[in-house]
Amino acid sequence: MDTDTIGDPVEINAIWNDNEEDQDEDDDFDEDDEELQPATLGFVDEPKNQWSLHRQYFPSKAGGFPAWLDPLNIPSGRSSVCDNCGEPLQFLLQVYAPTEKETTFHRMLFVFMCPSMKCLLRDQHEQWKRHPEKPSRSVKVFRCQLPRDNPFYSRECPKYNESHKPASSGAVLCDLCGTWKGDKLCGGCKQARYCSEKHQVKSWRSGHKIACQQLKVSSPVFGPSKSGTNSLESHIVGNYNVWPEFEIIIEDESDYMQDMSEDNTFANSLISRNRTDDTMNQLLDNFQGDDEKKSWAYFQERIAKAPEQVLRYYRSTDAKPIWPVSSGRPSEADIPRCSYCGGPMCCEFQILPQLLYYFGVDNEVDSLDWASIVVYACKASCDASLPYKHEFAWVQLYSPSTTLEGNGRF
């Protein structure tokens, strides 16, 4: 696939929404059915042009800063923080997935999470409470959608060159994280902006204490920040808690289903065969029971066809999530109804732990890790009034009975 045109709405529509059918809500594991149902795979790659990840090109991307679809009315308050520790959430990835509805001509799903493994463990425990009135989560998903005619973008497909600009500017973002709305003004210089008191304190301790005095006596010079909004040129914008930025490249799993020799499969893989085998054998030895081992073996069989995949997209196919372990999978009753229209939710995509390898997350006992994060979204992609609608993420960690010196990442 030509990565220069990954952001083209027409091409993404064709790949991710071709032959869209109603999806079975039952996510029970069935390897015989699953084997015949390829998904759409996502791989990360360095962008050929950094500008192609800006919001006006509707990118699917991981790490760095979110390219907000609606750049003005972004989530704020409790929505933007981890419900366990209160820290502002970190941007994980976004997926551009429009549908054929007029109101979803542009449609983007954003995933944020707290980088603390302690919070993720609490998050997994919280989801078993089955639809609490006020869920406490460290992984949050937002859906934003726009009709073709909207105040932010031209109705025509963007021209893929650096000169293409969005129709309007966005909100001023936090000077520390470059992610959330900077609606708190520094009381000293009256220029620096923050999304929270926590980030204001961290910025003060990391250098703003000195910069603040200089800004008091100098005239502000405004210019474009890394996040695509206006901020002070004298600041280092968004330098805190940002994972490396990648473009998400889309491929069809059916292209990998044909038999290939083992040498060809792993010849160009950044995730080595020896490392994969060692980790898999270590995990398999620790799994208890035939069901766990069967799930793990099947999961590895599917992943091995394209070992560098970080995302599996399901909404436009009949494929279902592949669960690494049999325990910790949700039943149909565990998935909530849409909180806006009351309709059913369907499986949109699955995030694999390989992503952490590319983010350079340490492979230590307390490092952030998961077996799978499966994102569910409103099946009707309803048109609720909120610009960013909360969707649901199911977090599966490795079996509690599994004890490892490291984690389960490949």
Side-chain angles (χ1 to χ4, degrees):
M1 179 181 297
D2 183 0
T3 56
D4 283 338
T5 59
I6 282 297
D8 190 332
V10 175
E11 184 175 0
I12 294 295
N13 255 313
I15 294 175
W16 281 358
N17 296 289
D18 187 33
N19 299 323
E20 183 168 356
E21 299 176 359
D22 290 342
Q23 180 168 333
D24 186 353
E25 295 175 44
D26 183 3
D27 286 326
D28 289 342
F29 176 74
D30 187 334
E31 62 182 66
D32 292 333
D33 290 343
E34 178 71 22
E35 186 65 34
L36 301 176
Q37 298 170 355
T40 301
L41 307 183
F43 303 84
V44 294
D45 196 8
E46 297 282 351
K48 290 184 178 180
N49 303 292
Q50 198 63 37
W51 50 261
S52 66
L53 299 185
H54 294 171
R55 63 181 176 87
Q56 61 266 34
Y57 301 101
F58 312 107
S60 292
K61 62 188 291 288
F65 307 96
W68 294 109
L69 184 59
D70 178 336
L72 281 179
N73 305 297
I74 64 179
S76 60
R78 188 172 182 267
S79 294
S80 66
V81 302
C82 172
D83 294 329
N84 295 320
C85 69
E87 290 283 347
L89 294 170
Q90 193 165 330
F91 173 65
L92 187 69
L93 58 79
Q94 65 187 68
V95 174
Y96 182 68
T99 73
E100 294 181 355
K101 289 175 55 179
E102 192 279 331
T103 55
T104 59
F105 184 84
H106 297 300
R107 180 175 177 271
M108 191 86 74
L109 286 102
F110 299 81
V111 182
F112 295 83
M113 72 184 305
C114 178
S116 166
M117 188 62 194
K118 181 179 179 181
C119 289
L120 191 62
L121 287 165
R122 293 179 63 184
D123 188 288
Q124 187 200 35
H125 180 267
E126 178 72 17
Q127 70 191 5
W128 286 108
K129 292 182 179 180
R130 189 168 287 184
H131 323 323
E133 184 177 346
K134 290 185 178 180
S136 180
R137 304 301 303 272
S138 72
V139 179
K140 296 184 181 181
V141 181
F142 302 97
R143 168 172 55 92
C144 182
Q145 57 199 42
L146 297 170
R148 185 166 188 170
D149 292 310
N150 64 80
F152 307 116
Y153 309 100
S154 166
R155 62 177 284 107
E156 305 302 327
C157 287
K159 296 180 180 179
Y160 285 87
N161 57 60
E162 196 171 2
S163 65
H164 183 73
K165 302 297 180 184
S168 65
S169 60
V172 176
L173 303 181
C174 174
D175 281 352
L176 186 69
C177 69
T179 297
W180 303 105
K181 188 178 295 186
D183 51 9
K184 297 184 183 299
L185 194 65
C186 173
C189 64
K190 308 293 185 183
Q191 296 179 43
R193 292 180 175 273
Y194 303 101
C195 64
S196 64
E197 291 183 5
K198 287 180 178 288
H199 276 192
Q200 184 172 5
V201 170
K202 286 186 169 102
S203 177
W204 184 263
R205 292 173 178 173
S206 63
H208 184 66
K209 180 178 181 180
I210 297 174
C212 187
Q213 299 300 318
Q214 298 172 343
L215 289 169
K216 285 181 181 179
V217 296
S218 63
S219 299
V221 181
F222 289 94
S225 74
K226 294 180 183 178
S227 53
T229 62
N230 289 330
S231 189
L232 297 171
E233 286 185 344
S234 55
H235 284 61
I236 300 176
V237 179
N239 62 339
Y240 178 76
N241 262 18
V242 176
W243 279 308
E245 187 174 48
F246 296 96
E247 182 179 17
I248 295 180
I249 306 300
I250 306 305
E251 301 285 354
D252 197 309
E253 189 180 23
S254 60
D255 295 339
Y256 295 87
M257 299 292 278
Q258 58 185 334
D259 292 333
M260 294 185 292
S261 70
E262 196 170 272
D263 289 341
N264 288 337
T265 302
F266 289 92
N268 298 314
S269 177
L270 297 177
I271 304 173
S272 72
R273 181 71 214 227
N274 289 337
R275 177 177 177 179
T276 301
D277 284 345
D278 290 344
T279 304
M280 297 312 102
N281 291 335
Q282 184 184 23
L283 281 165
L284 190 60
D285 289 342
N286 283 279
F287 282 134
Q288 304 295 321
D290 291 340
D291 287 344
E292 295 284 23
K293 292 182 178 181
K294 181 181 179 181
S295 293
W296 183 249
Y298 179 70
F299 177 79
Q300 289 311 312
E301 179 185 355
R302 290 300 296 269
I303 296 301
K305 299 178 188 299
E308 294 184 356
Q309 61 186 282
V310 300
L311 183 141
R312 298 175 64 84
Y313 190 86
Y314 299 113
R315 185 182 179 93
S316 57
T317 72
D318 290 326
K320 301 174 184 178
I322 50 175
W323 300 98
V325 289
S326 60
S327 60
R329 292 183 297 163
S331 67
E332 183 178 338
D334 289 317
I335 306 303
R337 311 280 292 184
C338 174
S339 59
Y340 305 99
C341 70
M345 303 183 88
C346 68
C347 177
E348 186 96 16
F349 57 84
Q350 176 178 15
I351 307 170
L352 303 178
Q354 285 94 313
L355 181 60
L356 295 170
Y357 170 82
Y358 295 99
F359 281 173
V361 176
D362 292 336
N363 193 21
E364 304 294 340
V365 175
D366 295 329
S367 297
L368 182 65
D369 196 22
W370 61 79
S372 184
I373 297 176
V374 180
V375 170
Y376 294 84
C378 176
K379 190 173 184 178
S381 205
C382 66
D383 303 319
S385 58
L386 288 176
Y388 285 88
K389 304 156 189 65
H390 283 269
E391 299 293 11
F392 181 75
W394 184 271
V395 177
Q396 185 188 51
L397 303 183
Y398 294 96
S399 172
S401 62
T402 303
T403 303
L404 299 174
E405 293 180 359
N407 57 24
R409 202 177 315 145
F410 301 7

